[in-house]
Amino acid sequence: MWCFLPKYNGAEKIYRYVIYRITLWLKFHDDRGSMRRVSSFLHKMVDDEVPENQEELYGVLRITVHSARGLEDIQKIGIQDPYVQLRLGDVVHRSRADRDGHVNPKWNETFDFQIDPDETTKITIKVRNENHVADDSIDRLELDVYDLLRNKQSRRWHPLNRKGELELAAHYVAPIKISILEARKLDDVQTVGKQDPFAQLELMGSWFNPTHALRTPTSQDTVHEAKWNHDCFINYNFDEAHDDEPSHVVLSVFNHNTTVNDLIGDVRITLDQLDAWQHTGPRWVSIERDMRKSGEVRINIA
């Protein structure tokens, strides 16, 4: 987030350190709007490190469609107006049409996709010709997201299926990982028998987009303690954040029931706390119910 800088070498390390110092200065002067703009700029210019294990590839694929060259000319009368359509899972983005772009159009448009390795990791890109009645297909290609991000040359030309090439740049934005590890000293809200606690995260504010499993499994037949060791991944969007909008997560612990789950307690974790706690190791946080402490949950933010 704001102040975490991975270990990079050479010019990229110096670049990140300069941005880091600027961000610290802005944070000291409580200029959140500028902080978010600097953070947004940083994440657009420099990639986060892509996980070695494809099964851990949560986060954001930021893909820029620059141009195409040598496209097939399918327009019978006049000059074709190409645009691109990108699909990853159920999410579809579309560029503007390059008027009279013909066989060498230019777009220079950027799109974000949430990545979930448990879902599809194939991105389909179609090049189409915009018409008044019905749009026509010019060409297409399919790319594996992991291979696209692992390629060291982020901006390069990709051959289309039939004719021509598409110029793309792909960048990776890592998510926040909140690990919900365990709980202790929980209030017993179960009337008969032993309670079955689970924890969940609720995201507040447009900074956040949930990506995967924001609820832990249920810890069966426990009373005052629970163990989960469960990872939740959250993407954040600096561009959509508003200075006057609260952005925080609510961590809640419930007792699972067949009808209605009972609240054991919850705690609000602000954006500043997420920032301060990131990469500082596991910590215990207190949860409350009816303005009274009702337990503690051990979490780790990375």
Side-chain angles (χ1 to χ4, degrees):
M1 293 181 62
W2 290 333
C3 300
F4 168 62
L5 294 175
K7 295 181 180 179
Y8 288 86
N9 295 319
E12 188 169 307
K13 184 176 181 180
I14 296 173
Y15 171 81
R16 278 183 171 261
Y17 180 76
V18 171
I19 297 296
Y20 164 69
R21 298 302 302 180
I22 294 173
T23 305
L24 281 183
W25 187 89
L26 292 170
K27 187 173 184 179
F28 178 78
H29 289 82
D30 199 26
D31 188 351
R32 295 193 173 212
S34 297
M35 288 167 61
R36 289 168 181 169
R37 286 189 288 273
V38 169
S39 298
S40 175
F41 175 75
L42 172 63
H43 279 276
K44 286 182 178 180
M45 294 301 295
V46 182
D47 287 356
D48 287 324
E49 187 175 355
V50 179
E52 291 290 339
N53 188 348
Q54 186 172 354
E55 295 178 354
E56 299 175 357
L57 189 65
Y58 299 96
V60 170
L61 165 66
R62 177 163 291 144
I63 186 166
T64 300
V65 184
H66 289 285
S67 60
R69 64 186 180 191
L71 294 179
E72 182 179 356
D73 185 3
I74 64 170
Q75 184 77 19
K76 295 180 180 179
I77 300 175
I79 298 177
Q80 62 187 7
D81 305 320
Y83 67 89
V84 288
Q85 184 183 79
L86 304 91
R87 175 186 290 272
L88 180 60
D90 296 329
V91 179
V92 179
H93 292 301
R94 196 206 119 140
S95 75
R96 60 175 176 80
D98 185 4
R99 301 300 174 191
D100 299 330
H102 197 38
V103 296
N104 299 303
K106 291 179 172 57
W107 300 287
N108 295 312
E109 294 189 45
T110 301
F111 308 97
D112 284 358
F113 291 93
Q114 308 288 328
I115 308 172
D116 186 340
D118 294 336
E119 305 294 335
T120 179
T121 57
K122 300 288 185 181
I123 184 168
T124 302
I125 306 176
K126 298 179 181 179
V127 184
R128 298 179 62 82
N129 178 35
E130 187 174 75
N131 284 313
H132 293 294
V133 181
D135 297 345
D136 303 316
S137 175
I138 298 175
D139 216 326
R140 61 178 290 162
L141 78 158
E142 187 176 86
L143 298 168
D144 182 84
V145 171
Y146 188 72
D147 292 340
L148 188 64
L149 291 174
R150 292 292 296 171
N151 191 290
K152 298 302 180 183
Q153 186 179 357
S154 63
R155 180 170 176 172
R156 63 192 184 101
W157 291 93
H158 299 265
L160 294 162
N161 285 357
R162 293 197 298 268
K163 182 182 179 183
E165 296 176 298
L166 195 62
E167 187 184 20
L168 305 172
H171 302 277
Y172 175 65
V173 182
I176 304 171
K177 182 172 79 169
I178 302 179
S179 300
I180 306 175
L181 305 174
E182 57 183 325
R184 67 185 181 187
K185 303 177 183 178
L186 296 177
D187 282 357
D188 186 0
V189 299
Q190 181 74 22
T191 306
V192 179
K194 295 182 178 181
Q195 61 186 4
D196 304 318
F198 69 89
Q200 71 176 30
L201 291 174
E202 183 181 6
L203 312 178
M204 310 297 292
S206 59
W207 277 52
F208 300 110
N209 290 306
T211 62
H212 179 69
L214 299 186
R215 169 177 164 164
T216 70
T218 299
S219 183
Q220 300 289 337
D221 294 333
T222 61
V223 181
H224 303 295
E225 297 180 351
K227 293 189 181 298
W228 299 297
N229 295 314
H230 187 75
D231 295 334
C232 301
F233 296 89
I234 301 171
N235 294 328
Y236 50 95
N237 190 330
F238 291 98
D239 293 335
E240 294 182 4
H242 304 287
D243 294 338
D244 58 348
E245 179 186 41
S247 292
H248 57 271
V249 299
V250 177
L251 171 62
S252 304
V253 179
F254 291 90
N255 175 38
H256 176 72
N257 284 311
T258 54
T259 53
V260 179
N261 297 323
D262 299 318
L263 177 68
I264 297 174
D266 58 26
V267 59
R268 190 179 83 159
I269 304 173
T270 67
L271 195 64
D272 287 338
Q273 288 173 313
L274 284 176
D275 179 26
W277 296 350
Q278 195 174 24
H279 304 284
T280 59
R283 67 178 56 239
W284 289 97
V285 294
S286 297
I287 57 174
E288 295 184 351
R289 180 168 55 94
D290 298 330
M291 301 183 67
R292 184 182 62 83
K293 183 176 177 180
S294 56
E296 297 177 353
V297 180
R298 188 166 176 256
I299 63 173
N300 185 53
I301 300 175

